[in-house]
Amino acid sequence: MSNAQFRTAAFMRLGVSLPELSNVHKCISQCGQDVNNKGYHLLSCNFGGGPIRRHDHFLDSYYDMLRSIDFRCRKELTSQFKEKQRPDIAVYNYRDGKKLLLDIMITHPWAKTNLSGSSETAGYAASLKEREKNRKYLANAT
């Protein structure tokens, strides 16, 4: 992580305004929504690519970590699963010869879809995504 990235992450974690966003009022992506000076919209804007970039970065980092500790794995599996079921990583030598499938989801508690529950319940956004993944894959789990 660069110094600039660390600084931005620290500012966002602490809820401090980002100087780079002091004059920005609308998202420059297709959505055109308001952007506050803390940058929260940028974490959940589907048009700006932020969630996709974070997903891909996390996927690559996790995949590299698994490979570095001698797990046999593959990324972006498609042919073995139903439509709309595409795990991000398959680990083939997980435990007792069983396969582990990982499907990464990036969310943010202040995304519009999570906001009402996140203000009342810690972990609300993560719980929603967990239920979504369980609905998608649990029937195929062994």
Side-chain angles (χ1 to χ4, degrees), residues 7-19:
R7 183 181 150 282
T8 299
F11 274 41
M12 292 183 90
R13 178 68 177 105
L14 296 171
V16 177
S17 297
L18 297 165

Side-chain angles (χ1 to χ4, degrees), residues 43-44 46 51 54-55 104-115 118 123-130 132:
L43 294 173
S44 58
N46 289 323
R54 284 193 309 283
H55 170 276
I104 297 162
M105 169 105 31
I106 302 296
T107 190
H108 191 275
W110 291 349
K112 275 188 175 181
T113 55
N114 302 328
L115 198 52
S118 293
Y124 178 82
S127 295
L128 280 180
K129 297 305 178 184
E130 179 185 20
E132 187 178 322

Side-chain angles (χ1 to χ4, degrees), residues 38-95:
K38 293 188 175 145
Y40 298 134
H41 169 74
L42 304 175
L43 294 173
S44 58
C45 179
N46 289 323
F47 292 100
I52 293 169
R53 279 193 300 275
R54 284 193 309 283
H55 170 276
D56 292 348
H57 180 72
F58 186 85
L59 169 63
D60 292 340
S61 298
Y62 210 77
Y63 177 79
D64 291 344
M65 180 207 51
L66 289 167
R67 301 272 308 200
S68 75
I69 53 177
D70 295 326
F71 279 109
R72 287 186 317 107
C73 47
R74 285 185 50 204
K75 288 193 287 186
E76 306 289 347
L77 302 154
T78 55
S79 61
Q80 305 168 16
F81 302 94
K82 298 176 186 174
E83 186 178 331
K84 297 191 180 199
Q85 286 187 335
R86 194 176 95 186
D88 290 308
I89 300 174
V91 180
Y92 294 100
N93 57 332
Y94 179 59
R95 284 191 186 153

